[in-house]
Amino acid sequence: MEPKIILVDDEPELLKLVRDYLHSEGFNVLTETNGIDGLKRIEMEKPDLVLLDWMLPGLSGIEICKTLRLTSSIPIIMLTAKSEEVDRVLGLEFGADDYVVKPFSLRELLARIRTVLRRTLSGIQDPNAGVIHRGELTIDGPSHRVWKRGAEIQLTPTEFKILQLLAARPGVAYSRLQLLRQAMGEEYLYYERSIDTHVSNLRKKVEDNPAEPVYIQTVFGVGYRFGEPT
């Protein structure tokens, strides 16, 4: 079955270019030109991945991202002309899995899409990639679902990969570079600090007090490790 992608952008030429290219690469691409219709289409179609322009009429890409993250872990890639690091980090903080800065090459976009889908549709190939129980957390690798005290937590694919990786080996410290390589892929090694944003978002969801984390702990001068509450 062709992976379904919804592309929301208000540039007709870009819509056609990206849609035709992704069709040729085996994707089913649906398009919308404004934020309000885009959000309705996403909620109705439940695609495998969403491509969102940052600036949209009606409802911005960031607003759509925030709304989707209230109930969904669907992969989101932001398409943005904003190239400042603070803007890119802002997109990640609101729950985007990745971003591509305009103008971009179609091959780059395709590579990002395949990488994010790979993180979503396949678990970490590891002996511990089944169901992991850590404290009050249950992490189900095959279904990409997480529960705390029996209540399901909505994580993005990237957040899930980081949590699964850390939880598989409690107490082991991972550098940011190791987390990038194992949870996101080699092509992200130049975005080392983006891990901090994903970890911050993850703590807000799994920790009782994100300021004093018991699960996702900082190892100063190294990176992060998973610890269980005493």
Side-chain angles (χ1 to χ4, degrees), residues 130-141:
V131 179
I132 301 172
H133 299 280
R134 298 284 183 255
E136 297 176 320
L137 294 178
T138 299
I139 305 160
D140 189 319

Side-chain angles (χ1 to χ4, degrees), residues 2-3 5 22-29 110 113-114 117:
E2 295 178 332
I5 293 175
L22 293 180
H23 273 173
S24 72
E25 293 292 334
F27 294 92
N28 176 19
V29 183
L110 177 63
I113 289 170
R114 284 177 170 165
L117 285 176

Side-chain angles (χ1 to χ4, degrees), residues 67-124:
T67 300
L68 290 174
R69 283 295 172 254
L70 294 175
T71 58
S72 173
S73 60
I74 185 172
I76 298 171
I77 297 178
M78 300 295 298
L79 308 178
T80 173
K82 295 177 176 289
S83 58
E84 294 295 327
E85 182 176 3
V86 64
D87 294 318
R88 300 197 299 267
V89 170
L90 184 63
L92 296 176
E93 287 179 344
F94 282 124
D97 293 277
D98 199 3
Y99 56 85
V100 180
V101 179
K102 297 179 180 180
F104 52 81
S105 74
L106 293 174
R107 291 184 65 183
E108 177 192 6
L109 178 62
L110 177 63
R112 296 296 184 91
I113 289 170
R114 284 177 170 165
T115 298
V116 171
L117 285 176
R118 189 163 58 245
R119 295 204 302 266
T120 308
L121 301 176
S122 63
I124 296 175

